[in-house]
Amino acid sequence: MRLKPKQQLDLKALKVWRIVAILEWLFFFLILITYGILIKYLTFPVWPIYLILLGVLLIGYFKIFLVPKLQWEKWSYEIYENEVELMYGILVVRRVIIPMIRVQHVDTKQGPILRHYGLSTVTISTAATVHEIPGLEEEKADELRDYIAQLAREADPNE
Amino acid sequence: MNNWKRQHPTAIFIGFISNLKELIFTVIAVLIFGQSSQAGGTMFYTIFFSLILVVSLGNGIIKWVTFRYQLAEDELKIKQGLIFRKRRYIRKERIQSIDLNEKLLQRLFRLVEVRIETAGGGSEPEFRIVALKKQEALEIKNELLHKNPAEKTSEMEETGESLPMEEKSVSKTTSDQPYQWKLTGFRLFITAITSSGIGIAATFVAAITSQVQQFIPDAFYEQFIGWLLHSSILFIGFWVVVILFIGWFITLISTLLKYGMFQIEKQLDEIHITRGVLERRNLTLSATRITSVRIVQNILRQPFGFVSVYVESAGGGRKEEDLSTILIPLCKRKEVTQILENVLPEYAVDMVYTPLPKESVRRYIVRLIFPSVIIAGLLTYFLSYGWISFLLPIMAAGYGFWQYVDAGIGKNESLLWIRSRAIARTEVLIPRKRIQAMTTTQTFLQKFDLLFSVHVSIITSIIGKTFTLRHISKEQSEECYLWYSYEETENNRED
């Protein structure tokens, strides 16, 4: 079997994922707070709040600590001369080949959080599919984008 | 020079009728769902619908008046619109195919619909002129589809613009003897009988019969239902059979009409498909744009070894056929390769399949047993005699095993073929150079058995399509990977 791709995402991507996860987790936290308020003003039983607290904490642990870490560890990619290879996923491990001659365009994009950390996402589109390499350093992402675009241009259409 | 032409006036009528057709569905929907039987309701609906009719008629007239076309030397110019005027020039080089369709209404008036497909997608890859005299339509077709410009100009000088095309088409056919394939009457009949559209038609019939109650007097209806409830299960079974039979009959007739006189003609790089008894439909496919071939065998056809063949192509493809075009409605499985050799030689290979590893039997079976056990459990809990439903998991297991047996994969240098069963058995043939991306996946359950799934993506008319084969072995997944990889030194890639 050929070697697995080795290039990894920027470590700061992990940070960004965690921040996003915290923001999402706040929604669950809101449920806890709502229930707390309900107890105060209405005659709701008190015991479920412990259950909810436990649930929210568990979700928090998984979403904020465990999942992003595993995800980051599992993410790797490699740019070869003739193709791009991606490998990622925790429960479902995906391994993708995108030949350069099938690449239609390459973009970089960044949201506010990524921008704050100087990161960007590279998007590779073929005529049928779209793939992403999330969280590379801005300069590296731009470089990569131009590099892939150039390889895609040069790729031999007769291959 | 300035000779703008309008469509045949029947276009108004045709547009109106097709509006009416849509309206009928709305009326039915309103009747079914909007059961407000207050006084004045009918009055309101009558006014409402007649207003729509008047507006659509007026709209049709305006469309006809404002739509004008002109056939110039190398392009078709079109003007349309009353308030927002639009001019569209369709250049000859951009045209992919021109098809002349004789739908039912057009046929009544001896007219044709011209469908022009242009390259490069864009916002409107397809363009229709609804009603033209056949003569004019052929003129447009020949003017715009003639490939060789030098030849064309010389002929133009000789014959002038308006001369018919007999000469041209003759010169075309003599240059290359086209291959023809026809659906025989017997096969057409088999196609109709074994068509899997029965389910859909039966649902439709059932829906209609359930609505009939509104037109039956209440007293009679109550009596009938009471009687029905008293009567045995056998009797209900009888009704089910009747509904299925009517559904089957409708499918039979519609299939006969749809695929009657089906014919493929291969000429150079183009495949012309003509079909239909009442509505003659014409479709041109470019062989170079076909991205995969699917051989589908539904359960009814399996005992007889009959299959139907579909093609996916980048551009084209009718909506009603799941975005892919039917190439052969029915033929024997063993004839497929021979027909493909003539129509799409690239795809004519002897497909040899390597079966999936033994480990994947379990995955196929468990995947189906799991939901069926849940269903059976629920049924047992809620219904007396519900335990009978535990036959379901047993059937599911058998079915899963069947899916396993049918699954297989094979390849040569340029083609990959995958066989799998959802309900019908499907074989897909995909050329390597048509695959946009290949993915292998491994779920945590597959990990225990070292199994993988492979997904290949291709372009179809609108969006991409991905074909998947589940639970292949590690070796098979690696083989696929190496086969598709564009890197020459796959095995010893080291920095």
Side-chain angles (χ1 to χ4, degrees):
Chain A
M1 187 65 188
R2 62 192 266 164
L3 292 164
K4 290 177 178 167
K6 286 205 205 74
Q7 303 290 320
Q8 293 202 297
L9 303 181
D10 198 288
L11 247 179
K12 279 183 285 180
L14 184 56
K15 217 181 254 174
V16 174
W17 290 349
R18 289 209 161 127
I19 291 170
V20 173
I22 288 173
L23 292 178
E24 284 171 9
W25 177 74
L26 279 180
F27 172 76
F28 293 98
F29 191 69
L30 217 64
I31 297 176
L32 186 75
I33 291 179
T34 319
Y35 198 82
I37 293 170
L38 283 179
I39 292 172
K40 192 141 195 192
Y41 294 101
L42 300 164
T43 54
F44 269 50
V46 177
W47 61 267
I49 199 155
Y50 299 111
L51 218 66
I52 297 175
L53 181 67
L54 187 72
V56 169
L57 287 180
L58 267 178
I59 290 173
Y61 171 69
F62 276 104
K63 265 185 88 72
I64 301 168
F65 296 98
L66 200 62
V67 173
K69 187 165 183 297
L70 287 175
Q71 212 165 16
W72 192 88
E73 278 169 8
K74 295 280 183 188
W75 237 108
S76 60
Y77 68 93
E78 194 81 57
I79 317 291
Y80 300 116
E81 199 184 327
N82 296 315
E83 64 197 21
V84 179
E85 185 173 1
L86 314 175
M87 192 167 173
Y88 59 95
I90 304 169
L91 290 182
V92 182
V93 181
R94 290 177 182 277
R95 210 169 162 182
V96 190
I97 296 187
I98 312 145
M100 289 298 175
I101 43 168
R102 303 280 164 254
V103 173
Q104 289 212 320
H105 52 263
V106 199
D107 306 321
T108 49
K109 60 173 188 186
Q110 51 183 182
I113 304 175
L114 280 177
R115 181 155 53 229
H116 183 259
Y117 285 92
L119 298 176
S120 215
T121 296
V122 179
T123 319
I124 305 166
S125 315
T126 70
T129 56
V130 181
H131 310 271
E132 273 188 0
I133 306 176
L136 292 178
E137 217 187 322
E138 237 168 325
E139 272 170 41
K140 197 174 173 191
D142 289 344
E143 231 170 73
L144 205 65
R145 179 195 59 204
D146 296 341
Y147 181 57
I148 295 175
Q150 189 200 340
L151 286 176
R153 255 199 314 277
E154 286 168 2
D156 180 10
N158 295 322
E159 161 58 32
Chain B
M1 195 57 214
N2 199 11
N3 48 348
W4 290 92
K5 287 187 225 166
R6 290 205 171 91
Q7 302 182 74
H8 195 273
T10 321
I12 303 171
F13 180 68
I14 291 172
F16 179 66
I17 293 288
S18 60
N19 271 346
L20 207 64
K21 244 189 339 200
E22 274 163 39
L23 197 62
I24 282 174
F25 283 111
T26 324
V27 172
I28 290 175
V30 167
L31 279 180
I32 291 176
F33 298 112
Q35 279 296 314
S36 56
S37 49
Q38 309 134 335
T42 21
M43 185 65 179
F44 170 73
Y45 285 129
T46 320
I47 292 173
F48 183 65
F49 285 124
S50 43
L51 207 68
I52 290 180
L53 282 185
V54 171
V55 169
S56 75
L57 185 64
N59 189 26
I61 293 174
I62 290 170
K63 255 192 193 158
W64 178 75
V65 172
T66 54
F67 184 102
R68 271 169 296 173
Y69 73 94
Q70 181 182 8
L71 185 62
E73 224 166 272
D74 271 338
E75 64 186 348
L76 184 67
K77 298 180 183 173
I78 283 149
K79 284 205 287 199
Q80 61 185 340
L82 178 68
I83 298 165
F84 298 100
R85 298 219 173 136
K86 203 160 91 178
R87 274 163 180 261
R88 192 165 171 187
Y89 293 175
I90 303 177
R91 301 244 356 127
K92 185 178 158 176
E93 311 90 68
R94 304 270 299 153
I95 291 175
Q96 296 274 4
S97 66
I98 299 180
D99 295 315
L100 307 185
N101 287 328
E102 295 169 62
K103 294 185 180 170
L104 191 57
L105 286 169
Q106 278 88 343
R107 235 179 158 196
L108 284 175
F109 298 96
R110 296 176 188 288
L111 299 171
V112 291
E113 177 191 87
V114 181
R115 193 174 140 265
I116 301 174
E117 208 182 311
T118 54
S123 56
E124 295 162 62
E126 218 184 73
F127 191 84
R128 285 166 199 271
I129 303 176
V130 177
L132 278 187
K133 283 210 186 92
K134 203 165 186 177
Q135 177 67 25
E136 283 175 273
L138 281 173
E139 245 170 65
I140 292 179
K141 185 172 179 173
N142 281 293
E143 172 68 30
L144 295 179
L145 258 198
H146 216 272
K147 295 284 176 197
N148 187 343
E151 197 186 336
K152 192 211 64 137
T153 41
S154 65
E155 246 174 6
M156 277 268 295
E157 279 155 17
E158 282 172 34
T159 58
E161 250 191 45
S162 59
L163 240 240
M165 55 300 114
E166 263 97 303
E167 287 175 343
K168 296 181 190 178
S169 55
V170 164
S171 69
K172 233 182 177 177
T173 42
T174 46
S175 65
D176 199 291
Q177 195 58 40
Y179 169 80
Q180 266 197 358
W181 185 86
K182 280 181 182 152
L183 188 67
T184 60
F186 174 69
R187 293 245 169 122
L188 172 64
F189 189 64
I190 302 277
T191 314
I193 290 178
T194 58
S195 168
S196 54
I198 295 171
I200 300 159
T203 329
F204 188 66
V205 173
I208 297 260
T209 26
S210 72
Q211 286 308 317
V212 169
Q213 49 158 297
Q214 280 139 33
F215 306 106
I216 299 171
D218 276 356
F220 174 78
Y221 184 70
E222 273 160 29
Q223 206 180 6
F224 178 73
I225 285 291
W227 174 63
L228 196 70
L229 288 179
H230 283 297
S231 59
S232 62
I233 287 197
L234 266 181
F235 189 77
I236 296 171
F238 167 75
W239 272 111
V240 170
V241 170
V242 166
I243 285 175
L244 277 177
F245 181 77
I246 298 173
W248 177 76
F249 190 73
I250 292 174
T251 331
L252 181 83
I253 298 297
S254 68
T255 315
L256 283 178
L257 293 180
K258 194 171 164 193
Y259 294 125
M261 297 159 76
F262 189 98
Q263 181 190 323
I264 312 171
E265 205 179 284
K266 165 85 190 243
Q267 195 167 37
L268 300 171
D269 249 357
E270 285 185 342
I271 302 166
H272 303 276
I273 298 173
T274 319
R275 65 170 169 84
V277 177
L278 291 179
E279 299 191 355
R280 291 296 284 161
R281 292 203 180 221
N282 207 313
L283 181 68
T284 310
L285 289 172
S286 160
T288 50
R289 287 195 300 152
I290 284 172
T291 53
S292 72
V293 171
R294 274 190 308 145
I295 305 167
V296 179
Q297 183 170 55
N298 74 27
I299 293 177
L300 289 174
R301 285 172 193 167
Q302 185 148 17
F304 310 103
F306 280 121
V307 294
S308 35
V309 179
Y310 295 80
V311 292
E312 315 284 343
S313 72
R318 307 273 68 76
K319 274 187 210 121
E320 66 259 31
E321 269 150 16
D322 185 28
L323 298 177
S324 43
T325 311
I326 198 149
L327 182 69
I328 305 170
L330 192 83
C331 70
K332 289 268 187 195
R333 176 63 187 84
K334 41 182 192 266
E335 295 167 353
V336 170
T337 313
Q338 190 248 321
I339 297 173
L340 283 179
E341 209 156 287
N342 290 304
V343 182
L344 290 165
E346 201 188 333
Y347 292 85
V349 286
D350 279 322
M351 287 170 257
V352 180
Y353 290 95
T354 53
L356 301 195
K358 282 197 282 301
E359 290 81 16
S360 66
V361 181
R362 192 168 56 209
R363 297 246 34 85
Y364 273 100
I365 291 178
V366 168
R367 208 165 62 98
L368 287 180
I369 282 192
F370 189 67
S372 62
V373 164
I374 291 177
I375 292 171
L378 288 174
L379 286 177
T380 313
Y381 187 78
F382 287 111
L383 297 177
S384 48
Y385 295 113
W387 54 268
I388 293 173
S389 60
F390 267 95
L391 283 173
L392 217 65
I394 298 173
M395 280 156 64
Y399 197 69
F401 183 72
W402 200 19
Q403 287 188 328
Y404 162 75
V405 170
D406 276 331
I409 189 167
K411 53 192 161 310
N412 63 16
E413 316 85 79
S414 58
L415 272 176
L416 176 75
W417 48 92
I418 289 175
R419 187 171 62 195
S420 62
R421 170 184 297 283
I423 292 166
R425 195 183 73 176
T426 307
E427 295 173 69
V428 197
L429 273 157
I430 315 152
R432 178 167 175 259
K433 62 175 191 207
R434 298 292 186 189
I435 299 176
Q436 299 292 321
M438 179 184 271
T439 309
T440 59
T441 58
Q442 185 178 45
T443 65
F444 67 103
L445 283 174
Q446 286 176 326
K447 219 170 199 163
F448 296 119
D449 295 322
L450 268 182
L451 295 173
F452 291 83
S453 304
V454 62
H455 316 263
V456 291
S457 304
I458 55 158
I459 319 175
T460 60
S461 47
I462 296 175
I463 36 158
K465 194 166 187 168
T466 303
F467 297 108
T468 298
L469 184 65
R470 283 178 215 283
H471 314 315
I472 59 177
S473 71
K474 190 166 192 283
E475 294 77 48
Q476 282 170 327
S477 114
E478 280 170 11
E479 263 176 45
C480 281
Y481 224 69
L482 290 184
W483 172 82
Y484 185 58
S485 174
Y486 281 76
E487 287 298 308
E488 288 85 4
T489 53
E490 300 95 342
N491 280 314
N492 41 8
R493 170 156 293 281
E494 192 57 67
D495 298 317

